[in-house]
Amino acid sequence: MPTRKIIHIDMDAFFASVEQRDNPELRGKPVAVGGSRARGVVAAASYEARRYGVHSALASKIAAQRCPQLIFVKPRFEVYSAVSRQIREIFYSYTDLVEPLSLDEAYLDVTENKIGMPSATIIANEIRAKIQAETGLTASAGVSFNKFLAKIASDMNKPNGFTLIPPDKAEEIVAALAIEKFYGIGKVTAAKMQSMGILTGADLRARSEEELVRNFGKTGRYYFRIARAQDDREVQPHRIRKSIGSERTFEVDLTEEEVMLLELEKLAKEVAHDMERLHATAKTITVKIKYFDFNQTTRSKTFLGEIKSADAIFTIARDLLRTPQLPAYPVRLLGITASSLLYQHDKMEGYQLTLEF
């Protein structure tokens, strides 16, 4: 097999950068997208905010404490989605093998590409330049011969950076990498590894596959391979989402059923909109309830038929909210997720004719 040429493109502080681009008054200032000083969660933080320890998934109240001058901005997901589509058109001008991971990052396989360019480095830097010229935003890129290494590389020189990990340097770079920097190893797993004396890639490589499987299950085989810079996963241009959801944290805890239902109706419309955009239907609806004390619960229901309309999603979510009873404590967050998804192309392939007798 020829050596693959994989690029990972990662937009720099995407949501926050879009806000700073569209509002010059925010440029050079610490910005948090999502949440408020009172409550909520940060969805994204500008690099100016990150210097104070503000990052995504951080409680807004803590973010405000760390950075008193932090500016909170309401997210505009429709704008971020539009910019993301604009960026993907740039990707597709080079290759159809594009695997989006989220609105702001994607893998590209340019081993064979539309412009006949043998250098993935040149393509990656052309893409970065086009993104900046067409959107006013910067992106970081990593290039290597597999997805794991390309992802690691894109994070090495952020923001607005580029890193190449060639085959002859791969094992050396992985060996020196701190275990918490490994893509696919989260905080909990990293902490467990550190307690076992696994602090770097070299430490991970020293462990047998049997030991890693014994301690981490099937994923241990993946850890064994990436410690050796091995990853044979292909770029998947038709990566299928397993669920579609939306949730909202409230400024003030909800206690009235009428208000909760209004919020569920908004969430149902958002989920239905995304399902329509992706030509998907669902068979399972889940309602997530987080209480004032951060305890949370989920309530789900699965149906034989397909669910796709906002009215149907809302009706099911309303029933789930009331079953077995309405929340007994103040609610700080509500969410709706549609899962067991069926896409239109799947239905076409597996269509069954119904005859009326």
Side-chain angles (χ1 to χ4, degrees), residues 10 52 56 64 81 107 176 211 251 277 281 297-298:
D10 192 4
Y52 293 87
S56 61
S81 295
Y107 289 114
E211 180 184 0
E251 292 281 348
R277 179 172 56 83
T281 58
T297 186
T298 57

Side-chain angles (χ1 to χ4, degrees), residues 17-30:
S17 294
V18 170
E19 297 302 333
Q20 289 178 318
R21 179 197 69 176
D22 293 350
N23 184 352
E25 293 182 1
L26 298 177
R27 294 173 191 170
K29 297 178 181 178

Side-chain angles (χ1 to χ4, degrees), residues 20-323:
Q20 289 178 318
R21 179 197 69 176
D22 293 350
N23 184 352
E25 293 182 1
L26 298 177
R27 294 173 191 170
K29 297 178 181 178
V31 174
V33 177
S36 67
R37 291 193 172 276
R39 66 191 314 161
V41 176
V42 174
S46 68
Y47 283 98
E48 295 85 356
R50 294 182 188 188
R51 297 191 190 108
Y52 293 87
V54 178
H55 54 79
S56 61
L58 182 70
S60 302
K61 198 169 183 179
I62 296 174
Q65 291 170 353
R66 291 182 179 179
C67 181
Q69 65 270 44
L70 187 63
I71 302 169
F72 288 92
V73 178
K74 288 185 177 180
R76 298 180 298 153
F77 290 109
E78 69 285 352
V79 176
Y80 311 146
S81 295
V83 177
S84 180
R85 288 192 295 272
Q86 191 178 358
I87 292 166
R88 286 181 194 174
E89 287 304 311
I90 297 173
F91 298 160
Y92 288 125
S93 68
Y94 290 90
T95 178
D96 289 328
L97 296 179
V98 178
E99 179 183 338
L101 299 180
S102 60
L103 291 177
D104 61 344
E105 61 175 318
Y107 289 114
L108 293 76
D109 187 332
V110 295
T111 310
E112 296 180 5
N113 55 80
K114 295 179 179 179
I115 63 171
M117 168 58 66
S119 170
T121 294
I122 291 175
I123 291 176
N125 284 316
E126 278 189 9
I127 288 173
R128 291 176 55 238
K130 285 186 178 181
I131 289 173
Q132 188 160 19
E134 295 183 22
T135 70
L137 304 170
T138 63
S140 295
V143 170
S144 196
F145 57 91
N146 65 42
K147 290 167 72 172
F148 169 71
L149 293 171
K151 173 74 172 174
I152 294 297
S154 69
D155 200 40
M156 285 184 166
N157 286 304
K158 289 182 75 68
N160 199 21
F162 169 83
T163 302
L164 167 69
I165 299 181
D168 61 336
K169 298 287 185 183
E171 291 189 17
E172 176 187 339
I173 289 172
V174 171
L177 196 66
I179 205 67
E180 64 270 17
K181 295 290 186 180
F182 273 63
Y183 178 64
I185 296 180
K187 288 183 179 180
V188 174
T189 302
K192 182 176 180 179
M193 286 187 175
Q194 288 161 351
S195 71
M196 296 168 59
I198 303 174
L199 306 180
T200 66
D203 297 330
L204 184 60
R205 180 170 180 144
R207 304 303 174 103
S208 69
E209 185 172 7
E210 290 75 17
E211 180 184 0
L212 292 175
V213 170
R214 187 167 61 251
N215 283 280
F216 302 101
K218 292 181 181 178
T219 315
R221 294 191 179 92
Y222 170 72
Y223 299 151
F224 181 81
R225 291 178 60 79
I226 61 174
R228 289 156 178 76
Q230 300 171 2
D231 180 11
D232 56 6
R233 294 174 301 149
E234 295 183 355
V235 171
Q236 299 177 330
H238 303 295
R239 190 165 176 261
I240 297 175
R241 290 178 62 173
K242 295 181 179 179
S243 64
I244 297 170
S246 185
E247 62 182 42
R248 188 165 290 115
T249 301
F250 308 112
E251 292 281 348
V252 179
D253 294 334
L254 307 186
T255 55
E256 301 295 328
E257 178 186 9
E258 183 180 356
V259 181
M260 293 182 202
L261 292 178
L262 285 173
E263 295 298 337
L264 282 180
E265 188 172 17
K266 293 177 190 174
L267 293 171
K269 288 178 180 177
E270 292 173 10
V271 172
H273 174 75
D274 285 344
M275 288 172 63
E276 182 180 8
R277 179 172 56 83
L278 295 170
H279 306 290
T281 58
K283 291 194 172 184
T284 300
I285 299 296
T286 301
V287 169
K288 176 181 175 182
I289 304 167
K290 184 180 287 186
Y291 298 105
F292 74 103
D293 58 0
F294 289 89
N295 283 320
Q296 69 178 44
T297 186
T298 57
R299 302 172 180 178
S300 299
K301 191 167 185 179
T302 299
F303 299 83
L304 292 175
E306 297 171 25
I307 306 153
K308 63 179 182 179
S309 72
D311 287 343
I313 295 170
F314 169 66
T315 300
I316 296 164
R318 179 194 62 198
D319 293 343
L320 289 170
L321 184 75
R322 292 171 172 170
T323 307

Side-chain angles (χ1 to χ4, degrees), residues 325-339:
Q325 63 181 17
L326 286 168
Y329 305 101
V331 173
R332 66 176 282 114
L333 176 148
L334 285 172
I336 296 177
T337 300
S339 57

